[in-house]
Structure formats: structure tokens, C-alpha cells
Amino acid sequence: MSLIKSISGIRGTIGGKPGDGLSPIDIVKFTYAYCATLPSRKPQPASGKKYKIVVGRDARLSGAMVENLVVGTLMSCGVDVVKIGLASTPTTEMAVTFSGADGGIILTASHNPRQWNALKLLNDKGEFLTAVEGKAILDLAETEDFCFADVDDLGTVEEKDFTSEHLDAVMALEAVDAEAIRNAHFKVVLDAIDSVGGIIMPQLLERLGVECVKLCCEPTGNFSHNPEPLPANLIGLSGTVVKEGADLGISVDPDVDRLAFICEDGEPFVEEYTLVSVASYLMERAAARAKAEGKTLAEITAPYSPVTVSNLSSSRALRDVTEEYGGTYSAAAVGEVNVTTMMRSKGALIGGEGNGGVIYPAIHYGRDAMVGVALFLSNPAHKKMQVSELKKTYPAYSIAKNKIQLSDKALIDKILSRMKEVFASEDINDIDGVKISFESKRSWVHLRRSNTEPIIRIYSEAPTEQEAEDLAARVIAIAEGIIKE
């Protein structure tokens, strides 16, 4: 059994003893702590009476049980609940603002297998809590100093579905060219991994006039394969795309905030290139308008800046396509809240993560696969290109993922510090571990500590797979030498 507590929420396998797995007691404690810290985040409820919290969940098998515990605890704390049931993570985020709520709790373990579930915590903007806010909840949950509302002050429950409102907002985006998509007569295969993507994504595709062949779209929670949208887990999708003669395949994770595509020939578009493609479409479109109208790029993208943001472990291809059209790229520490914080500070037009997460501030500050699909399809619809041809227009890179297992956590800081010394002549970024960029070879390696294990994760990228693996091997050899000292 596993239970992982972090500033962004609590995640664990269902069952086991309290503190060992994600037990009912852990769920109640953590939900109570979230309620008890509400006044520190927002002194007065939005309604002027009771605080109101949105609760949404993916379709995993433990979802209803966890939902009942969370909703009951919120009510027992005197908090009103907007229960939206089966809903994607971005829908739950947007429901917070749609309903004028004071926060939200998403019940999903994202790409983790069926035995996992989690509570992810939102503020009144439908965005993830800050590190300071998350730590306050963790600390309070451990005190077990609980005090619940009496019978006259219990919260109430309102049930509502915000799927249509979410899709209305996506369709209203100026950059989504629904007419061009309809005229392209796309046929796609959708793999929704037996979760909530099977509810919302077909509705979006229908609005866009896209023919949808459904694969794993019944929200049973019995995942038909490993739910992380990586090429090795999408063999069935690839085969169905070819068999159906589809224009592309679409894969989402169980809570629909990550997105990956399969080309018409069955080959992966590659998860890292989801954000690259969408950002390139927006930047190219803005640059063309700036030229046609005799304006600067910044004038065209206003009120946002021609800036893109991703985390340090994401592909360099995003920087390349951004700079190609006159924009600026910035890198944030790993973690969605870090990316969105950087995006706000830069006024970024678009951002996200290399795991297929697209964040488009014009709609909301959260990863959203529906937004990603609508923007992505607009690109080949305009260019009248096959998806495999579109992929070839982007810079080609390959990422390798490795790790160093350590017996002593104290070695982590020693290794990271020594790496900065060894590669002092290169471009180094140490806001999250150590990232070393080799500009002459258009490659980089990023070393960062695991939050839960004595491990250093090593991501490396280069123009070819072999070069990326060689770079990782070079760094691992240096680390092993330090360990032996």
C-alpha cells in the first residue's frame, strides 16, 4: 500500500491501514484540514454565508466511495457542496468560477493505475493551491484537532453538470477555427481509457463536426490498459487508426488534462509535441497577422505577451518554434502550479508541460485536453496537411528518461552541487535541481530529486535518441564516481 502526501494533495492506493494507503480516515482528515484552512485563504465566503466547494471526480472504481466521504466531510464542516459527479479535471476547475465557489476538490489519480485515487485541491479561481497553502493543510491534518459543525450549521449539496458550459467556453475561443475543422471532415479514433474523457470528448468532437470512432469510451473505471498516454500503452489506438483509415488518434488520461496524438499512419505524434504543435499554431498565426496588419507581435497577442512557458524537463522544440516566430520562451520548475505561476508573471500566451498538458490562459490556467484538441485540429485544417506531415515541420528531438537509485538521500545534494562544478562552462539552471544546456549540440540534461524516494531523475534531450542516451550515461557515470568517493 502507498500513501503520498504533498503540497498539491494526497494520493494513494485504496485500502490498508490509515497512513499506509488512502483510507477513509486519511480522506476525512485531509478534507477537514482543507475546510479548516479556508478562512486563511479567503476570509469571507463568496456568497457572504457559507463557504461553497465544488467536487468532481473521474470514473475510477473507488470514485463514488471517495466522493461520498469527501462530500460528507465538507457538509459536516458546515460547507455547501456543488457536486458535479463524473467530470474532467479542467471541467471541475472551471466549475469553481462558473458557480462562484470558494474552492474545489478533484478526485482523481490522473494517469496512475486503477488502485490509486487522490484529492487535488483548488482555490477560488479553480487553480491549484500554492506550496505555502498546501503545507498548511498537511500540517493541520496531522494535528487531528478536529471540530465539526452542529446540526443547524451543516452544509448542503447541489448537483450540477458543467460539461456544456466548459465546451461552450472552448468553442468561443477566437483561435479555435470551428468552420475550418468542420470543412476538413476529420475522422478520429478516441481512446478515453474507460473514464470521463469518454463523456466530454465525443461531445466536443461532435460540435466540431468531427467523426469519432470510440475506443475505451465507457466510463467504467476498469482501465483497458495502462492509463498513462505513452506510445507503449497506445498500441491498440495506433492499430485502430490505421484500420479505420482515420486522420488521427486522440488519447487522454483518466481525468482528461493530458493529451497525446497518433498520426494517420499509426505512428506516435509524441506526447512532448502536443504543446509544441499548439504553441506553434498560435505563434505562427499571430506572426502572420502582425505582418499583414503592420503591427508588432506583442500588439497582436495582447492582452497576453508573445511568450511560451514549459517546465525544465520539457522539449527544447517549444523554445525553437517560439523563437522562430519572434516570441520568447521561459522555463519553470516542474509542476503545473510552477508553470502557471511563471505564465502569469510573463503574461504568457500559451504554456504547459511536455506530458501533453496544454494551458491556455484565454480560457483558464489549467491543463485542458479539450482546449488542446480544438486548437490542434485548427492547424492541419488550415494547412490541409496530414498529421504526420505536420509533425515533420517541427524540430526533431528525442528525450531519454533515466534515474539514479541512492542508498542515502544526503548524496543527492552532493551530486547536484558537483554537477554544477563539472559543467560550470555550460548554461546551468538550478531553480529545480540542475539543468545543464549544451547550446552547441542543441541538447540538455536535467537532474532533479524525487519528492518521495532517494532517487535522482535524469531527463536528457538531443537531436537523436542515441545522443540523448549517451548524454544521460555521461552524467550517470559522473554521479557514480561521486557516490564511490
Side-chain angles (χ1 to χ4, degrees), residues 41-267:
R41 295 191 296 276
K42 193 169 185 185
Q44 293 294 326
S47 66
K49 298 177 182 178
K50 293 179 180 177
Y51 286 104
K52 181 165 63 174
I53 299 298
V54 172
V55 178
R57 68 179 179 92
D58 69 14
R60 62 188 60 234
L61 298 175
S62 60
M65 180 272 289
V66 176
E67 178 186 62
N68 288 335
L69 288 166
V70 169
V71 170
T73 304
L74 289 169
M75 293 174 67
S76 72
C77 291
V79 172
D80 290 338
V81 179
V82 181
K83 190 169 93 171
I84 66 173
L86 293 173
S88 73
T89 281
T91 303
T92 307
E93 292 170 347
M94 296 187 71
V96 173
T97 54
F98 287 150
S99 62
D102 302 291
I105 300 179
I106 309 170
L107 311 179
T108 175
S110 190
H111 62 275
N112 291 109
R114 64 201 290 275
Q115 68 268 32
W116 288 80
N117 212 330
L119 280 67
K120 297 183 178 181
L121 310 177
L122 305 174
N123 62 19
D124 61 335
K125 295 177 181 177
E127 299 168 15
F128 290 112
L129 302 184
T130 66
V132 172
E133 292 167 339
K135 185 177 185 305
I137 291 169
L138 289 176
D139 291 344
L140 182 58
E142 293 303 318
T143 68
E144 300 190 22
D145 183 20
F146 303 154
C147 182
F148 296 96
D150 61 33
V151 69
D152 294 317
D153 294 320
L154 296 176
T156 61
V157 178
E158 170 191 5
E159 296 188 17
K160 189 168 183 181
D161 185 344
F162 286 94
T163 302
S164 290
E165 285 91 331
H166 183 181
L167 295 180
D168 288 345
V170 174
M171 295 296 294
L173 291 169
E174 187 267 338
V176 172
D177 195 332
E179 183 179 359
I181 296 172
R182 291 189 189 100
N183 291 337
H185 303 292
F186 288 125
K187 178 181 181 180
V188 308
V189 180
L190 169 67
D191 183 346
I193 192 61
D194 309 291
S195 191
V196 294
I199 298 172
I200 189 170
M201 193 62 78
Q203 293 184 47
L204 171 66
L205 294 171
E206 182 179 5
R207 291 193 185 202
L208 291 169
V210 175
E211 180 183 352
C212 178
V213 177
K214 297 179 183 179
L215 190 67
C216 307
C217 281
E218 288 297 320
T220 63
N222 270 313
F223 303 149
S224 300
H225 57 78
N226 186 310
E228 189 165 13
L230 300 176
N233 303 326
L234 302 178
I235 295 173
L237 175 59
S238 294
T240 306
V241 167
V242 174
K243 178 182 176 183
E244 292 287 340
D247 295 292
L248 74 155
I250 297 173
S251 171
V252 294
D253 63 341
D255 67 324
V256 211
D257 64 349
R258 289 174 59 178
L259 174 66
F261 297 108
I262 298 294
C263 299
E264 80 288 342
D265 57 5
E267 292 298 311

Side-chain angles (χ1 to χ4, degrees), residues 419-473:
M419 288 295 173
K420 290 196 288 185
E421 295 175 6
V422 172
F423 295 102
S425 61
E426 306 295 345
D427 181 13
I428 293 177
N429 186 320
D430 61 1
I431 62 172
D432 182 10
V434 175
K435 180 174 182 177
I436 306 153
S437 297
F438 304 87
E439 291 302 313
S440 62
K441 296 183 178 181
R442 300 175 66 79
S443 60
W444 55 263
V445 61
H446 184 203
L447 300 88
R448 63 186 299 269
R449 71 176 68 239
S450 165
N451 292 325
T452 57
E453 305 171 87
I455 287 174
I456 295 179
R457 302 193 186 281
I458 302 174
Y459 286 16
S460 54
E461 183 181 58
T464 68
E465 182 179 353
Q466 187 61 55
E467 288 175 291
E469 291 289 359
D470 289 347
L471 181 54

Side-chain angles (χ1 to χ4, degrees), residues 352-390:
E353 299 179 290
N355 60 12
V358 174
I359 303 172
Y360 190 42
I363 184 168
H364 71 120
Y365 278 96
R367 297 184 305 191
D368 191 325
M370 275 59 67
V371 172
V373 165
L375 292 175
F376 179 90
L377 290 176
S378 298
N379 200 5
H382 273 288
K383 293 179 177 176
K384 296 179 172 56
M385 278 182 151
Q386 289 186 312
V387 175
S388 61
E389 294 174 325
L390 182 66

